[in-house]
Amino acid sequence: MRDGSESIALRLLCTTDLHGHVLPWDYLAGRRDPRIGLSRLVPLIRAHRLRQPNVMLFDNGDFLQGNPMTDAETERLAQGGPGPHAVVAAMNALDYDAGTLGNHEFNQGLPVLRRVLRGFGHPLTSSNLTLAPGSGAPLVPPGLLLRRRLTRRDGRQALLRIGVIGVAPPQTAEWDRLRLGGQLLAEDMVLAARRQAAELRTRGADIVVLLAHSGPGVARPQQGAENAGRALAALADIDALFLGHTHSLLPDPQRAGSEPAFARPTAQAGRFGSHLGVIDLDLWRAAPGAPWHSRGAGRIEAPTARGCDAATALPVRRAHRAALAALRRPVGHSTLPIDSHFALVAPDRSLQLAADALRAAAQRMLKGRAEAALPLLVAVRPFCTGGHGGAGHYLSLPAGMLTERHLQALHPHPDRLCLTVVDRAALLDWLERGAALFCRVLPGRRDQPLIDPSRPPYGFEVIDGLGWRIDPSRPAGQGRVGDLRHEGRPVGPADRFVIAMTSHHLGGDGPLPRRLRAGQLPIEGPLLREALRAHLVTGPVTPRPRPSWRFAALPGTAAWFDAPPEARKAAAGVASRQITPVGPADDGYHRFQLRFGPEGVAHPIDSGPRLGYGGPARTRTPRCPAAMTP
């Protein structure tokens, strides 16, 4: 017992960013994955409940969207099918105490979300995402006050009031603005959490747990920041903090002892059910009726045993089988194999295929509009390029029939196609941000990394229709991008373009997102996946990469990147050129060297027919690991 007469040990558990992954199955790869799945966490949760008298279980959002099974279930409900959603039924089997909403819960609009929420057996909260006046009843309350009878260390019972609040990125209202029709209002996470925590304290909360669908962030973020974990941890009325959204692990076992401490006990449990967040709180008070005080520590745990819980898996079994059957359906045909092994270092068929599909959809959207007279550009992101954030996916599609599984792998996210008008300044800002992916390369050195592993590869984009040069010897953000051209002509300050992009580009409060929102055309486009499907069903595709960007010539300079071992076969045809296999790397990857051209000449990467990129490539490109959008 601590300093006073009453003491309680309370264990808080939390899942986050499940993205519909109940079973240990990778739908895009078409195989079992023992590293993921809510059902494999159940024995761990059950063991905690058996060992500890006081255990509470929470979920930190993004439970609804993220794989073909859960997306199909959401569509079933949208078409009037009976509830509950299969993922919700699986979560109900675990007796959660409370949860919150993540940004992806809003992807399919408010009517579908309301139907999903009606199936939950536990309460949910959202403190900073609210509905505009006239939009109907609130989705969930801004805060919860749960009454729990807990066992003290002396064996007696004590009634505690547990406050629970939840926040999510304010950019959620922008990411799905057209789908939500302006009905969702968003407040800064820190301001909303501070206000709601104080309100729960005035209502009698003994402790307050904050479910923040936010990454660690910084101590003093700008208002409206997407990741504000450290600022949230510093709030005076918070006793425990669970983070999410960025799919990170916290405490990170790879950086043990090197990360600065949080002001409150904090944990973040990765994604897809890979880990369980655990916070142990030591509660005490000096006398009955006195305020409770808390102290504690956070950690993450991963299951050690294989297998999954049958009771949790049962509610999704029907949906799982239906998803597997749907993923086998043919959707098109490619005359060439499509892989993403070198998507960050050489011309890439997968990105070109996506650009061709989005261009066709954008042209249909522009039909009859004045903006159709402007040149059309298409921004495409490399999603399946490795393991950043634990994604671990590469595309490897054979020539021949393409199935629904292949289509979903080409674009795994439910983003919609949006159009906006941009100028040269916006394009340079856009490309400069993407070029920050590369480490600063020192001229004359040959053994140096090319890719900055702290930056997600999907931040680097190919803008189909433009050509530009990247000089990685310059500091990131300081003029790396130059020689911006359209159809061979330098782009001038007065030039205007329509650019097709994903709805995710519209979030954020930086200069670029504000420019994109200001020029956005009021047309709701299709899901990017639907645009791909419409392109594939028109007939066989032969995606051949067009010229786009290149590296500046840096004589006598080279850098290394990692790619899958299978890429060695492709690289064998260019061993004497600019990409050369080096040897095995960490985590099952293989290391390759990229040379920045011979003395005084900026040669493109010549991938050649043996690389399977459709003949000599006229672009230069490099980099590796990769991720999926949070």
Side-chain angles (χ1 to χ4, degrees), residues 534-557:
H535 181 65
L536 290 171
V537 299
T538 59
V541 295
T542 305
R544 298 185 185 277
R546 288 188 286 271
S548 55
W549 69 279
R550 65 195 186 280
F551 276 117
L554 299 171
T557 305

Side-chain angles (χ1 to χ4, degrees), residues 18-309:
L18 293 173
H19 289 284
H21 287 81
V22 176
L23 302 177
W25 187 265
D26 185 332
Y27 291 91
L28 301 186
R31 60 175 179 261
R32 181 180 176 82
D33 187 344
R35 301 167 299 175
I36 63 173
L38 174 64
S39 60
R40 59 186 281 281
L41 292 179
V42 176
L44 190 57
I45 294 170
R46 186 178 293 124
H48 281 295
R49 286 172 167 167
L50 288 174
R51 289 195 300 261
Q52 300 291 330
N54 306 311
V55 176
M56 298 183 72
L57 177 63
F58 304 96
D59 181 75
N60 202 13
D62 273 8
F63 53 83
L64 188 56
Q65 169 278 333
N67 66 54
M69 183 274 289
T70 188
D71 292 348
E73 271 291 284
T74 303
E75 181 62 25
R76 183 181 65 80
L77 262 65
Q79 294 177 358
H85 192 287
V87 174
V88 172
M91 296 178 73
N92 286 344
L94 280 177
D95 292 327
Y96 279 84
D97 288 274
T100 192
L101 300 174
N103 54 291
H104 281 296
E105 267 68 78
F106 296 88
N107 288 158
Q108 297 305 318
L110 297 178
V112 176
L113 179 56
R114 288 188 186 278
R115 293 206 65 194
V116 171
L117 294 178
R118 285 200 291 268
F120 271 107
H122 61 265
L124 285 86
T125 179
S126 181
S127 305
N128 73 318
L129 301 180
T130 57
L131 297 185
S135 300
L139 290 171
V140 292
L144 302 171
L145 196 59
L146 308 178
R147 297 177 182 271
R148 294 292 185 270
R149 193 166 294 278
L150 305 181
T151 301
R152 300 180 350 190
R153 282 192 169 91
D154 62 7
R156 298 182 180 182
Q157 299 288 300
L159 180 65
L160 265 70
R161 292 155 294 191
I162 315 293
V164 182
I165 57 179
V167 293
Q171 290 84 352
T172 302
E174 290 295 338
W175 287 329
D176 288 299
R177 181 159 58 101
L178 290 177
R179 171 62 55 173
L180 297 171
Q183 297 180 81
L184 186 68
L185 303 180
E187 185 182 0
D188 175 75
M189 289 187 287
V190 177
L191 297 180
R194 179 185 293 117
R195 184 190 66 252
Q196 193 58 43
E199 181 176 326
L200 287 175
R201 291 288 187 181
T202 63
R203 290 170 54 191
D206 295 302
I207 65 169
V208 175
V209 178
L210 173 53
L211 305 176
H213 195 75
S214 162
V218 295
R220 296 174 183 270
Q222 65 180 30
Q223 188 168 342
E226 182 180 348
N227 295 308
R230 293 194 179 277
L232 292 166
L235 296 178
D237 288 321
I238 300 300
D239 293 274
L241 171 65
F242 286 107
L243 297 176
H245 183 58
T246 57
H247 299 179
S248 305
L249 297 176
L250 199 149
D252 186 345
Q254 302 297 322
R255 303 176 62 185
S258 63
E259 295 179 309
F262 279 71
R264 297 290 183 276
T266 306
Q268 183 176 358
R271 63 172 201 153
F272 296 3
S274 64
H275 293 74
L276 184 68
V278 182
I279 293 178
D280 282 319
L281 286 182
D282 186 15
L283 310 176
W284 76 95
R285 64 180 179 180
W292 288 93
H293 303 278
S294 71
R295 185 174 78 173
R299 65 182 186 276
I300 55 172
E301 296 181 358
T304 56
R306 298 173 66 90
C308 57
D309 177 68

Side-chain angles (χ1 to χ4, degrees), residues 601-618:
V601 182
H603 284 300
I605 296 173
D606 185 357
S607 51
R610 280 171 292 184
L611 250 184
Y613 289 112
R618 292 184 293 276

Side-chain angles (χ1 to χ4, degrees), residues 200-511:
L200 287 175
R201 291 288 187 181
T202 63
R203 290 170 54 191
D206 295 302
I207 65 169
V208 175
V209 178
L210 173 53
L211 305 176
H213 195 75
S214 162
V218 295
R220 296 174 183 270
Q222 65 180 30
Q223 188 168 342
E226 182 180 348
N227 295 308
R230 293 194 179 277
L232 292 166
L235 296 178
D237 288 321
I238 300 300
D239 293 274
L241 171 65
F242 286 107
L243 297 176
H245 183 58
T246 57
H247 299 179
S248 305
L249 297 176
L250 199 149
D252 186 345
Q254 302 297 322
R255 303 176 62 185
S258 63
E259 295 179 309
F262 279 71
R264 297 290 183 276
T266 306
Q268 183 176 358
R271 63 172 201 153
F272 296 3
S274 64
H275 293 74
L276 184 68
V278 182
I279 293 178
D280 282 319
L281 286 182
D282 186 15
L283 310 176
W284 76 95
R285 64 180 179 180
W292 288 93
H293 303 278
S294 71
R295 185 174 78 173
R299 65 182 186 276
I300 55 172
E301 296 181 358
T304 56
R306 298 173 66 90
C308 57
D309 177 68
T312 311
L314 182 62
V316 302
R317 194 163 293 166
R318 176 199 55 79
H320 173 69
R321 290 171 178 164
L324 294 183
L327 290 172
R328 290 191 288 268
R329 288 200 298 261
V331 294
H333 187 279
S334 175
T335 62
L336 300 171
I338 302 171
D339 65 58
S340 60
H341 298 157
F342 284 163
L344 306 177
V345 298
D348 178 64
R349 288 177 179 167
S350 66
L351 292 183
Q352 192 60 61
L353 175 59
D356 292 344
L358 300 189
R359 182 176 293 277
Q363 288 169 341
R364 291 191 292 271
M365 293 169 64
L366 287 168
K367 192 173 183 179
R369 297 186 61 92
E371 293 86 358
L374 295 174
L376 176 61
L377 308 175
V378 182
V380 286
R381 290 176 164 177
F383 287 113
C384 299
T385 47
H388 181 98
H393 282 293
Y394 281 90
L395 282 174
S396 186
L397 313 184
M401 184 180 70
L402 297 177
T403 67
E404 184 72 23
R405 179 172 69 83
H406 298 144
L407 184 148
Q408 302 250 0
L410 281 163
H411 201 284
H413 303 293
D415 302 326
R416 290 188 173 273
L417 183 62
C418 296
L419 304 178
T420 193
V421 177
V422 294
D423 58 12
R424 179 176 182 272
L427 290 171
L428 284 174
D429 186 11
W430 196 325
L431 296 172
E432 194 71 40
R433 285 161 49 126
L437 171 81
F438 303 107
C439 297
R440 189 176 184 182
V441 171
L442 300 179
R445 283 190 56 180
R446 304 186 68 85
D447 185 14
Q448 53 190 324
L450 181 62
I451 308 301
D452 182 348
S454 69
R455 295 182 180 273
Y458 54 75
F460 175 83
E461 300 179 66
V462 173
I463 299 184
D464 186 58
L466 289 181
W468 67 100
R469 180 185 64 239
I470 294 178
D471 185 352
S473 68
R474 291 176 174 268
Q478 298 184 30
R480 284 186 167 183
V481 174
D483 195 24
L484 186 64
R485 293 175 177 269
H486 175 255
E487 295 183 347
R489 182 183 64 84
V491 176
D495 290 340
R496 297 291 183 272
F497 303 86
V498 173
I499 189 163
M501 59 185 183
T502 76
S503 52
H504 194 267
H505 286 101
L506 300 173
D509 291 319

Side-chain angles (χ1 to χ4, degrees), residues 520-604:
Q520 185 183 5
L521 304 185
I523 318 169
E524 182 180 70
L527 291 170
L528 269 63
R529 198 179 295 151
E530 295 303 321
L532 276 166
R533 182 180 287 108
H535 181 65
L536 290 171
V537 299
T538 59
V541 295
T542 305
R544 298 185 185 277
R546 288 188 286 271
S548 55
W549 69 279
R550 65 195 186 280
F551 276 117
L554 299 171
T557 305
W560 54 260
F561 63 92
D562 294 340
E566 305 87 79
R568 287 175 296 179
K569 182 177 180 181
V574 290
S576 62
R577 302 175 188 269
Q578 285 181 274
I579 301 177
T580 308
V582 176
D586 295 336
D587 300 324
Y589 290 103
H590 199 82
R591 185 143 295 174
F592 296 81
Q593 184 190 67
L594 178 119
R595 296 185 296 280
F596 291 90
E599 190 73 21
V601 182
H603 284 300

